[in-house]
Amino acid sequence: MGELTLIRHNAHRVDVDRHAMLLHVPTTSLFEMDEVGQAVYELFRRAGSADPGTLRAELGDRFGPQALADCVQSLITLDILRDAAAPAVPVTVQRVEDIPLSTIILNVNTGCNLACTYCYKEDLTTPAKGEKMDFPTARAAVDLLIEQAPGRDKINIVFFGGEPLTNMPLIRQVVDYAETRAEEVGKAVDFSLTTNATLLTEELVDWFDAHRFGLTVSMDGPRAMHDMNRRSVGGQGTYDVVASKVRMLLSRYRSRPVGARVTVTAGVTDVLAIHDHLRNDLGFAEVGFGPATSGPIAVFNLTADLMKAVFEDMKTLGRRYVDAAIRGENIGFSNMHQLLTDISQGMKKAVPCGAGLGLLAVDRKGDLHLCHRFVGSNEPTYGNVTTGIDVPKLAAFVEGAQDRSNFGCSTCRIRSICAGGCYHESYARQGDPFAPVYHYCDLLRDWMDFGIEAYTRIMQANPSFFRSHLSPRRPAR
């Protein structure tokens, strides 16, 4: 065996209490290093490379030749150590020959019955009736989904807006049609939507319950924070009506847990107070936070300092999550759920999400977009529900997304979880869907380290939590 070199971008050490955890970056696998592993890893981390003679001279008396050889071989197998003379390993791009859809997002209406100040609607002084999708377009989208999912046991249909409840007649038609078609081809079909809740009625809630919809409510926290941005067309805050509708919804809905989705903007950054109110006062099963950094109205976007403060609050809430998990409880913090799920399952992403691969969004004309966030943008579309997916064009995009070496992603320690970040976030901020979300990078690396610490502490104190709540993922209780 000749000289070996440390492939620094394939390994990352995080010390958690008395445990030395090694993240295998390509697979997001975690290993706890014993004393031999720590010594060998630290020798290479300091020196960069070493030969067998150096290893024996520095560590042989402490551990013996066999223990050293076994440890080194394990690190070679993981491609953490590599022959110093070996050429660099190029990024592997997986060729795309088909688009095996599992999910279609129907943009059923671009309009909304509210006038939230951070929305991009052109005229906030009048109701935006929007442009509604018709049933022939939606029906063709369902048929396309079934056609492109021959190997799937379950397909997913997401209703989006604007406010999707402003086109309930279409949603009812789609559900009836999709359930019939899915039964004909032997598939299960799952429905979900995100709503501002203002148009909910008891009859609608019961109908959603009967069809087992996955429901998420857009709500930004207690009255003062929610009403700062989420307003009626007349400029009044909407907290009272939304809170009343949410209480009605949660009192009647039984088929699935209901979550809240919070848009964190300048002035609405108190993560702890928002989570406490939505989870404990109103009773949502889960609360997830989406920081606004690339919206079209810059005044609402979080500055770098605000982003850092928000992430610090999220870590504080994450510590409460860990304490509760050790007691066997789940406090319903969606961002933490996702992070720990990725770590516990050993996430290995070549692309940041399923957009353009397992998922496509459909606009009212039937054109196919990477995801719902690109509907209405100048980014190219990839076919139409009537003519089918432009597979060569979409395949070229997905293949191009897999190699971001020019941006530095290939040596980032969170590349298997981030994979460059949200296409739309990059497009909105930098005009290029492949440009990494650099404004997030340092914070996301820190968030990943925090997740490793959280995972290790829960695993040491109460490993059954992962089986009960994350493997597979379970709703908060």
Side-chain angles (χ1 to χ4, degrees), residues 38-51:
Q38 292 179 58
V40 171
Y41 180 75
E42 287 306 309
L43 186 152
F44 276 96
R45 190 183 64 81
R46 292 193 310 271
S49 60
D51 57 32

Side-chain angles (χ1 to χ4, degrees), residues 443-459:
L443 291 172
L444 288 177
R445 282 189 281 266
D446 183 60
W447 181 241
M448 179 66 178
D449 286 357
F450 177 75
I452 292 172
E453 294 176 16
Y455 177 84
T456 302
R457 290 184 174 129
I458 297 170
M459 182 60 74

Side-chain angles (χ1 to χ4, degrees), residues 217-254:
V217 175
S218 297
M219 193 172 185
D220 288 352
R223 180 182 285 104
M225 282 183 273
H226 178 90
D227 284 352
M228 186 175 295
N229 296 315
R230 301 191 66 81
R231 300 176 185 171
S232 69
V233 173
Q236 281 72 44
T238 60
Y239 174 85
D240 288 337
V241 64
V242 172
S244 174
K245 298 285 188 174
V246 165
R247 291 188 177 97
M248 180 272 291
L249 167 67
L250 297 180
S251 71
R252 302 179 71 88
Y253 208 72
R254 294 290 177 268

Side-chain angles (χ1 to χ4, degrees), residues 135-278:
F135 179 61
T137 301
R139 180 178 58 204
V142 174
D143 290 339
L144 177 68
L145 172 60
I146 291 173
E147 177 187 338
Q148 292 294 133
R152 309 278 192 182
D153 294 328
K154 183 175 78 171
I155 54 175
N156 308 285
I157 298 174
V158 181
F159 299 100
F160 208 79
E163 169 52 47
L165 300 192
T166 58
N167 198 358
M168 270 307 301
L170 176 66
I171 293 176
R172 291 178 186 270
Q173 285 180 290
V174 170
V175 169
D176 287 344
Y177 181 73
E179 287 179 338
T180 300
R181 288 285 289 117
E183 184 176 4
E184 290 173 354
V185 297
K187 297 182 186 298
V189 58
D190 182 79
F191 305 103
S192 60
L193 63 78
T194 299
T195 175
N196 62 35
T198 58
L199 299 178
L200 286 175
T201 64
E202 291 183 352
E203 186 274 331
L204 271 183
V205 169
D206 293 345
W207 185 82
F208 288 135
D209 202 22
H211 295 278
R212 296 187 56 79
F213 265 64
L215 297 179
T216 301
V217 175
S218 297
M219 193 172 185
D220 288 352
R223 180 182 285 104
M225 282 183 273
H226 178 90
D227 284 352
M228 186 175 295
N229 296 315
R230 301 191 66 81
R231 300 176 185 171
S232 69
V233 173
Q236 281 72 44
T238 60
Y239 174 85
D240 288 337
V241 64
V242 172
S244 174
K245 298 285 188 174
V246 165
R247 291 188 177 97
M248 180 272 291
L249 167 67
L250 297 180
S251 71
R252 302 179 71 88
Y253 208 72
R254 294 290 177 268
S255 59
R256 296 167 71 172
V258 178
R261 201 272 185 186
V262 179
T263 301
V264 183
T265 59
V268 183
T269 58
D270 193 342
V271 168
L272 300 174
I274 293 170
H275 178 271
D276 180 65
H277 180 70
L278 297 180

